[in-house]
Amino acid sequence: MKAAKDLRQFHNIIDGKLVPASAGETMDSIDPATGKPWSTIPLSTTNDVDSVVKAASKAFPAWSALPARSRADYLRQIGDALSEHGEELLTLETRNNGWTLDPYQYLNIVLKQIWYDAAGAAPIVGAQGKTVQMGTGNFGYTRREPYGVVLGILPWNAGLFSFTIKAAYALAAGNTVIIKPSEHAASASLRYGEILSEILPPGVVNVISGLGSEIGDVLVGHKQVNKVSMTGSKQTAEMITRASAPVPKSLIFELGGKSPNIIFEDADINQAVNGVINGIFTRNAGQICAAGSRILVHRPIFDRVIGKIKEHMTDPENVKYGDTLDTTNTMGPIANLPQYRKVCSYLQIGKEEGAELIFGGRTGGEVLLPDDPHYSDGYWVEPTLFKTDNNKLQICQEEVFGPIAVAIPFDDEEEAVRIANDTDYGLASGVWTQDLKRAQRMTEKIEAGNVWVNTYAMVGPDLPFGGFKESGYGTDTVLEYTREKACVINFN
Ligand code: NAD
């Protein structure tokens, strides 16, 4: 194991400066592909919370007073800077969360697009107000104003993406920002903050790393934090709601899911099978909020569809593990030890509940082919498919957040809708059919923030990405980062 002095050290970014946690404490970051530490991150305390909120509050008046087009210029510069720094950031993120590099080429494009989109949105905010006739000589109008200090709380699975989508639109609207990355994946966000602080005025974006259980409540409950946007689990959303109660503030929650991917007998079967596989058994090992973790299949084609999925996923040519920076590897590890243990426990739960194991189920070094001692302590889980008729099982109701899916047969459209909606979550869904009328009916009947027909996880800045039910509320768009003020002037 590396001694602490050999590990790369990352620091908080507060008021434009790189600073260690005030108590000098750090925590090791573990590479999930090897199970070994590779860097250290600050373990901040409430003293650091005070400093970071002070910095963001101090920067707010000047930043919000800038003409929107000047703020947009800064945001464009950040987008441009990703050409130089994108690859480095994506490499850090891969060491944080184990996602193999390929999707990050895409993410690089996505991140840039968000900064440019937010730059375009900045001047539009000022044009969003309305005017109202209030009777003779009275003129009413509304203004869109920033909240002040916005706190972005990030998950470990897609830190750079969550950082970008929160910071870019909050800044465009004139807010200043504090980012609290996950303690399991903070390095990339800390370096991202450093890059941003070389472009932005001091204090406009700050990054503070520490345990959610230690500094989360204090940040959320702080009087000078005016809005919180959190991406993470519904359990943490509950804690944040409680912590924000004494000083009520506006909240955005982007939470988990148990999303159905529904294949009807009239679907293009090969297209559907590809879509289902890409919906969960991908390079991020199913660690994505929109994972299509329940595969609902029309009974007449059930065996055929499941057979094709099994054939693809059990071919060693299609599923390769190892160095996450090697793009020929196609399946990443689970991102951290607690999550690895959780995913492994669901393999056991599925078996104990009586679900039939169709393929997969192995974990750790036994997954590697050929065995490689460098990666044998990594948090590997083989893509796994269970089958059941009972959507009430724990593996059908609870978010696993790993490469474990469950296949459920259905007899008709009505039953498909009933099973699809029989969940506390409502984030995403996929429907595979060539019948346009059925497609339209399904988009109406499914209780989820996203319904994708004959495609999956098709997202973009021009469409909202939010949840229904216990998958959260609000979305990271520029208007969400403004509040509306009603003004009336009496000219009489
Ligand atoms: P998590 O809820 O464990 O942690 C999220 C963040 O909250 C971390 O930064 C953590 O430090 C912080 N936190 C913990 N306790 C806190 C407290 N008391 N107060 C304030 N902050 C606190 O989630 P995770 O395990 O990092 O991420 C996985 C979850 O995120 C999954 O449920 C997944 O579905 C969800 N997710 C949702 C989306 C989406 O857009 N809907 C995207 C990605 C991930």
Side-chain angles (χ1 to χ4, degrees):
M1 196 173 277
K2 278 186 171 180
K5 64 178 169 47
D6 298 330
L7 303 180
R8 181 165 171 189
Q9 294 180 352
F10 290 88
H11 298 295
N12 288 333
I13 312 297
I14 300 180
D15 207 14
K17 296 181 210 64
L18 282 164
V19 287
S22 56
E25 302 254 336
T26 61
M27 176 181 168
D28 287 354
S29 282
I30 309 294
D31 182 340
T34 61
K36 296 182 177 55
W38 67 280
S39 67
T40 68
I41 56 165
L43 262 190
S44 306
T45 58
T46 45
N47 281 341
D48 304 299
V49 169
D50 283 343
S51 313
V52 82
V53 177
K54 220 176 262 170
S57 304
K58 193 178 73 180
F60 174 69
W63 178 252
S64 58
L66 278 181
R69 283 195 165 70
S70 304
R71 286 201 301 273
D73 284 344
Y74 279 109
L75 304 188
R76 253 178 242 110
Q77 278 181 54
I78 297 172
D80 294 346
L82 289 180
S83 302
E84 188 187 339
H85 298 290
E87 214 172 303
E88 178 202 355
L89 287 172
L90 302 178
T91 304
L92 294 178
E93 181 90 316
T94 293
R95 298 200 83 182
N96 276 336
N97 66 9
W99 288 22
T100 61
L101 203 59
D102 243 11
Y104 277 111
Q105 308 294 8
Y106 163 72
L107 210 54
N108 193 7
I109 298 164
V110 172
L111 298 185
K112 274 192 194 179
Q113 251 180 24
I114 295 172
W115 286 109
Y116 296 144
D117 188 64
I124 294 169
V125 172
Q128 285 292 320
K130 56 187 174 202
T131 59
V132 181
Q133 300 292 341
M134 303 288 293
T136 315
N138 286 292
F139 174 64
Y141 61 99
T142 62
R143 288 170 50 82
R144 286 272 177 186
E145 296 184 354
Y147 279 90
V149 175
V150 167
L151 169 63
I153 300 181
L154 314 184
W156 47 256
N157 72 320
L160 288 178
F161 175 76
S162 299
F163 186 136
T164 307
I165 198 131
K166 294 179 194 309
Y169 293 113
L171 292 174
N175 303 280
T176 55
V177 171
I178 299 170
I179 294 290
K180 211 292 286 155
S182 165
E183 53 270 39
H184 297 298
S187 322
S189 291
L190 291 164
R191 176 70 185 120
Y192 202 6
E194 189 182 343
I195 292 163
L196 264 58
S197 72
E198 285 161 11
I199 296 169
L200 294 165
V204 169
V205 167
N206 308 272
V207 186
I208 178 169
S209 130
L211 299 177
S213 56
E214 182 79 26
I215 58 168
D217 284 2
V218 198
L219 276 163
V220 168
H222 201 292
K223 261 188 184 297
Q224 283 164 295
V225 168
N226 310 99
K227 173 138 192 154
V228 179
S229 174
M230 177 272 210
T231 300
S233 64
K234 67 176 184 179
Q235 292 77 8
T236 305
E238 242 181 89
M239 292 192 269
I240 289 175
T241 306
R242 260 184 263 122
S244 70
V247 189
K249 56 195 73 185
S250 171
L251 304 171
I252 297 174
F253 284 136
E254 303 194 337
L255 310 178
K258 196 72 196 177
S259 301
N261 219 339
I262 309 164
I263 308 181
F264 286 98
E265 64 178 330
D266 58 31
D268 173 331
I269 302 286
N270 288 333
Q271 186 191 41
V273 165
N274 273 338
V276 162
I277 289 171
N278 289 327
I280 182 146
F281 297 132
T282 43
R283 292 167 176 272
N284 53 35
Q287 296 164 101
I288 184 143
C289 52
S293 50
R294 291 184 300 146
I295 302 169
L296 276 49
V297 190
H298 220 153
R299 206 177 291 273
I301 55 165
F302 188 86
D303 289 341
R304 206 166 123 218
V305 166
I306 299 309
K308 277 178 179 276
I309 298 173
K310 180 175 178 179
E311 188 185 327
H312 182 90
M313 294 311 299
T314 51
D315 180 346
E317 278 306 303
N318 297 328
V319 190
K320 293 182 180 158
Y321 314 85
D323 182 358
T324 43
L325 298 178
D326 176 349
T327 53
T328 61
N329 287 325
T330 59
M331 184 67 56
I334 301 301
N336 55 68
L337 187 57
Q339 180 63 17
Y340 176 62
R341 290 192 176 128
K342 179 178 160 192
V343 173
C344 292
S345 79
Y346 277 102
L347 291 171
Q348 195 54 32
I349 289 170
K351 287 175 200 156
E352 284 168 12
E353 290 182 310
E356 184 188 330
L357 183 68
I358 306 282
F359 60 79
R362 289 182 302 172
T363 60
E366 63 179 11
V367 162
L368 300 175
L369 276 178
D371 186 21
D372 181 341
H374 188 63
Y375 297 106
S376 56
D377 289 334
Y379 310 142
W380 307 103
V381 174
E382 201 173 26
T384 299
L385 184 66
F386 284 107
K387 173 191 168 186
T388 180
D389 273 316
N390 182 2
N391 187 55
K392 294 292 181 199
L393 299 188
Q394 260 177 279
I395 53 161
C396 300
Q397 291 293 324
E398 295 172 13
E399 186 186 45
V400 176
F401 219 58
I404 300 182
V406 53
I408 309 170
F410 64 85
D411 286 313
D412 53 30
E413 192 178 306
E414 199 182 323
E415 190 183 20
V417 170
R418 186 182 55 70
I419 299 172
N421 290 340
D422 178 20
T423 165
D424 290 337
Y425 290 106
L427 184 59
S429 57
V431 176
W432 302 86
T433 177
Q434 298 198 69
D435 178 343
L436 256 184
K437 289 181 182 167
R438 167 175 274 158
Q440 201 283 327
R441 282 194 300 273
M442 293 301 283
T443 60
E444 273 184 23
K445 288 181 185 164
I446 291 182
E447 297 164 359
N450 301 273
V451 186
W452 298 301
V453 179
N454 296 332
T455 183
Y456 201 77
M458 184 72 95
V459 296
D462 298 323
L463 280 171
F465 180 74
F468 283 13
K469 305 201 284 190
E470 294 182 22
S471 290
Y473 51 81
T475 50
D476 289 308
T477 56
V478 74
L479 286 185
E480 284 266 14
Y481 287 107
T482 64
R483 49 191 170 184
E484 198 171 16
K485 181 186 274 178
C487 312
V488 180
I489 300 181
N490 176 3
F491 289 103
N492 291 306

